[in-house]
Amino acid sequence: IGAGGAVGSAAVQLGKIFGAVVTGVCGGDKAEGVSELGASRVIDYRKVNWREGAERYEGILDTVGEVTFENSRHLLTPRGRIGLVVADLPATLKSAWISATRPQKVLAGPISETRADLEFLLSLCEQGRFRPWIGHTLPFDSIVEAHRRVEGGHKMGSVVLTL
């Protein structure tokens, strides 16, 4: 969910690299780019309610704060996982309870990257297997505009500031 944004576009690529069949949910204006990044299927959330489909998923990654266990568990396989990139403290605590009491899991909360993680991503970039999707490049003095684009919630890829 949010496959056309900065985190979502990275997740699409990493999912594909690790052998997943990736379905990306995004606005139709981002569909072609999300497909090019490796999504096998793209759902335009403006035209299709992805929650009403019959398909079941091993994992759902929500990068925009739309998914809860309650509104999406019916889309999971019996041991499926939901990852919440955007989760407040109550959602994080609730995810721990759900994960402790059910075979389906919800993963939320802070994580820390390691040097090995960053070296792995760098090696994928050097091999041409991973690329940051840059939707907008703005000069540093346009930082207010950059924030507006990011906070608007519908940007394409990453917003980069140049110095």
Side-chain angles (χ1 to χ4, degrees), residues 1-16 20-45 63 131 133-134 154-158:
I1 316 306
V7 175
S9 63
V12 167
Q13 293 177 81
L14 291 172
K16 191 71 172 176
V21 176
V22 178
T23 298
V25 178
C26 62
D29 55 326
K30 301 171 192 166
E32 184 178 339
V34 170
S35 290
E36 289 173 4
L37 292 174
S40 301
R41 181 172 169 233
V42 179
I43 299 171
D44 180 348
Y45 73 88
T63 68
R131 66 178 173 91
W133 190 11
I134 299 171
H154 297 281
K155 67 178 177 45
M156 187 176 302
S158 297

Side-chain angles (χ1 to χ4, degrees), residues 16-86:
K16 191 71 172 176
I17 287 167
F18 284 107
V21 176
V22 178
T23 298
V25 178
C26 62
D29 55 326
K30 301 171 192 166
E32 184 178 339
V34 170
S35 290
E36 289 173 4
L37 292 174
S40 301
R41 181 172 169 233
V42 179
I43 299 171
D44 180 348
Y45 73 88
R46 293 177 183 138
K47 294 181 180 176
V48 176
N49 183 343
W50 60 273
R51 284 198 198 104
E52 293 177 356
E55 192 166 351
R56 298 294 169 260
Y57 301 95
E58 291 289 325
I60 297 173
L61 180 67
D62 176 19
T63 68
V64 297
E66 179 182 316
V67 170
T68 65
F69 183 72
E70 292 75 18
N71 72 17
S72 301
R73 69 177 169 200
H74 67 284
L75 297 170
L76 292 174
T77 60
R79 300 185 66 74
R81 307 288 189 258
I82 295 175
L84 304 178
V85 174
V86 180

Side-chain angles (χ1 to χ4, degrees), residues 2 5 11 43 52 54 59 66 73 98-99 104-105 121 141 150 161:
I43 299 171
E52 293 177 356
E66 179 182 316
R73 69 177 169 200
I98 291 167
S99 295
Q104 295 171 322
K105 308 294 181 199
L121 283 175
D141 63 356
V150 170
L161 292 172

